[in-house]
Amino acid sequence: MISNKMMEQVSKSSVIRAMFEEGKRLASIYGAENVYDFSLGNPNVEAPEEVKKAIIEILQEEKPAAIHGYMNNSGYEDVREAIAQSLNKRFGTGFNAKNILMTVGAAGGLNVVFKTLLNAGDEVITFAPFFGEYNSYASNYDAKLVVVPPNTVDFQPNLDAFSDLITDRTKAVIVNSPNNPTGVVYSEATIIKLAEILNEKQKALGTSIYIISDEPYRELAYDGVEVPYLTKYYANTIVGYSYSKSLSLPGERIGYLVMPTEMADFENFVSAANIANRILGFVNAPSLFQRVIAKCLDAQVDLEGYNRNRELLYNNLKAFGYDCIKPEGAFYMFVKAPVADDRAFAEMAKSKNILLVPGSAFGCPGYVRIAYCVAYSTIENALPGFKALIEECRAQA
């Protein structure tokens, strides 16, 4: 018998992954070219050439034992120092190697943070819509995920409701910007107000509340939009970063945590996070790709491919009559379902071989997420189906 906790997790298994598997099933019936799978945020833009070059250089020039061996649980010191200096150059921060911990992607990093911070019964606040795995991560440490209701006008965080939800059990707040699933970038004004609320609450409650800034999409921002770097606004900020999107390396599972020296209980946190990295079974981040990303800190995927997809999809959906805001970052579009039940609409879309993820999976019913990190032709070929869907919905109204 599997554990009761895992039985519960199985029953709540990811809707996104279920749709992805459904896409494979439909492709075997109708052919992959006739299935329009917008379910999974799997980058279709190739990794920069610098990545391939770095891999070859490392394998040719460095000793195998050095490439593939163990290192400090935090990761290679020279890699961490290089990342710290790159951040300092870009954001005007003051980090060094001791502020960086290499992780198995952003998800591994978030689990390290949760393992380090959370006691049973602690509360972690997040803003709807949110990445559904946060529920599983919190549950894994017997904590409670508290969800702030969405602001569906512009999908900036609902800060009035947020303030009312902070209690003496609140240990952390997850901020995800650019956001999955909306593509919204949280404005500087939003971040400043968020920091003000938390500083006031910390003082009133006599406790420390940490922001966990989940940033796998930081580099994917369009039209010159700036993504605020949260450690500059709030001392108790921990940043979780991943190269899955910025370098199109989702399967390599490489990322890092930033732990500012100014944060509360810094020395103990760093020590505990190192141990958490080990006892969660990660031990250390992948050794080869630590060395690879150190050579690629100035590289980035070609955003124009995603931007072309964004423009094509947004302009056509709006012309068809769909209600959505234009995403400023990431590669997702969050669209209001033209019927009340988002899950029913996602099922309707399957009749056109279009795979969408219901907004209910992100704590925001009534919407669907479209991951537009697909071939341009996939969007082109899916557009007649999107048009037919909204026309059918209108006819049924």
Side-chain angles (χ1 to χ4, degrees):
M1 293 289 291
I2 67 173
S3 74
N4 292 336
K5 182 179 288 188
M6 283 309 301
M7 183 68 80
E8 181 183 358
Q9 297 284 18
V10 169
S11 70
K12 297 177 180 177
S13 182
S14 171
V15 174
I16 300 170
R17 286 286 172 174
M19 274 295 180
F20 178 64
E21 294 301 325
E22 177 69 359
K24 293 195 292 185
R25 186 187 73 82
L26 292 174
S28 70
I29 299 172
Y30 301 105
E33 72 279 6
N34 298 313
V35 177
Y36 315 116
D37 187 352
F38 300 100
S39 63
L40 191 64
N42 194 22
N44 72 306
V45 173
E46 292 185 357
E49 186 65 24
E50 291 96 323
V51 172
K52 179 180 179 180
K53 181 180 178 183
I55 294 170
I56 292 171
E57 284 180 357
I58 292 165
L59 293 177
Q60 288 180 338
E61 297 173 8
E62 297 192 27
K63 294 180 180 180
I67 298 170
H68 304 299
Y70 285 131
M71 80 297 296
N72 186 287
N73 294 131
S74 287
Y76 292 113
E77 187 171 70
D78 59 330
V79 174
R80 293 186 286 126
E81 184 64 31
I83 290 171
Q85 295 309 317
S86 175
L87 293 173
N88 294 343
K89 180 180 178 181
R90 293 173 60 199
F91 302 117
T93 48
F95 304 132
N96 57 44
K98 70 180 182 180
N99 300 115
I100 309 296
L101 187 151
M102 305 305 298
T103 63
V104 182
L110 261 62
N111 274 275
V112 166
V113 174
F114 279 18
K115 182 69 173 176
T116 301
L117 286 180
L118 298 178
N119 296 306
D122 282 346
E123 295 176 350
V124 178
I125 298 177
T126 194
F127 300 94
F130 63 95
F131 181 48
E133 296 290 342
Y134 295 161
N135 266 313
S136 299
Y137 300 163
S139 173
N140 200 30
Y141 306 100
D142 297 316
K144 178 183 178 182
L145 189 72
V146 177
V147 179
V148 181
N151 157 27
T152 56
V153 176
D154 58 10
F155 288 103
Q156 293 287 317
N158 183 345
L159 295 181
D160 290 336
F162 165 67
S163 181
D164 292 339
L165 290 172
I166 298 172
T167 73
D168 58 0
R169 303 306 298 267
T170 303
K171 183 64 73 71
V173 179
I174 305 176
V175 173
N176 173 220
S177 173
N179 179 256
N180 173 14
T182 64
V184 165
V185 173
Y186 295 169
S187 69
E188 183 178 45
T190 291
I191 299 305
I192 290 172
K193 180 62 176 176
L194 175 70
E196 288 175 353
I197 291 170
L198 286 175
N199 280 321
E200 290 171 2
K201 291 290 186 177
Q202 285 187 134
K203 185 176 180 180
L205 295 170
T207 188
S208 295
I209 303 173
Y210 296 85
I211 287 179
I212 304 170
S213 186
D214 182 22
E215 301 190 357
Y217 303 99
R218 164 166 286 281
E219 269 57 66
L220 276 60
Y222 310 102
D223 303 328
V225 171
E226 294 289 332
V227 183
Y229 202 75
L230 269 65
T231 65
K232 299 173 68 175
Y233 299 87
Y234 185 70
N236 284 338
T237 297
I238 303 155
V239 177
Y241 186 81
S242 167
Y243 291 94
S244 294
K245 284 31 180 210
S246 61
L247 294 181
S248 287
L249 298 172
E252 304 300 345
R253 312 311 305 142
I254 185 69
Y256 61 80
L257 293 177
V258 178
M259 307 163 292
T261 308
E262 296 77 16
M263 64 184 283
D265 211 15
F266 168 72
E267 295 291 346
N268 282 333
F269 186 95
V270 169
S271 297
N274 269 279
I275 294 170
N277 209 24
R278 184 169 73 243
I279 65 176
L280 285 172
F282 302 128
V283 181
N284 54 257
S287 59
L288 172 60
F289 270 83
Q290 287 191 53
R291 308 222 66 83
V292 169
I293 58 100
K295 290 177 173 285
C296 301
L297 293 175
D298 295 324
Q300 188 177 335
V301 296
D302 182 8
L303 279 183
E304 184 51 35
Y306 293 140
N307 188 48
R308 287 180 70 231
N309 288 1
R310 180 181 72 127
E311 295 288 352
L312 176 67
L313 184 62
Y314 176 76
N315 291 333
N316 278 278
L317 291 184
K318 291 293 285 186
F320 297 157
Y322 285 95
D323 182 5
C324 59
I325 60 172
K326 192 172 187 178
E328 300 170 301
F331 40 53
Y332 304 111
M333 202 166 292
F334 207 52
V335 181
K336 189 171 180 59
V339 296
D341 187 339
D342 54 306
R343 296 181 186 273
F345 181 68
E347 283 298 315
M348 288 178 63
K350 284 164 61 175
S351 71
K352 312 296 182 188
N353 287 347
I354 295 174
L355 298 178
L356 312 172
V357 182
S360 302
F362 305 97
C364 190
Y367 291 78
V368 291
R369 189 192 77 172
I370 303 174
Y372 58 83
C373 49
V374 297
Y376 190 81
S377 60
T378 297
I379 298 174
E380 286 184 312
N381 294 333
L383 289 175
F386 278 112
K387 184 177 182 182
L389 277 170
I390 196 168
E391 288 174 350
E392 289 176 15
C393 292
R394 287 168 176 158
Q396 295 172 10

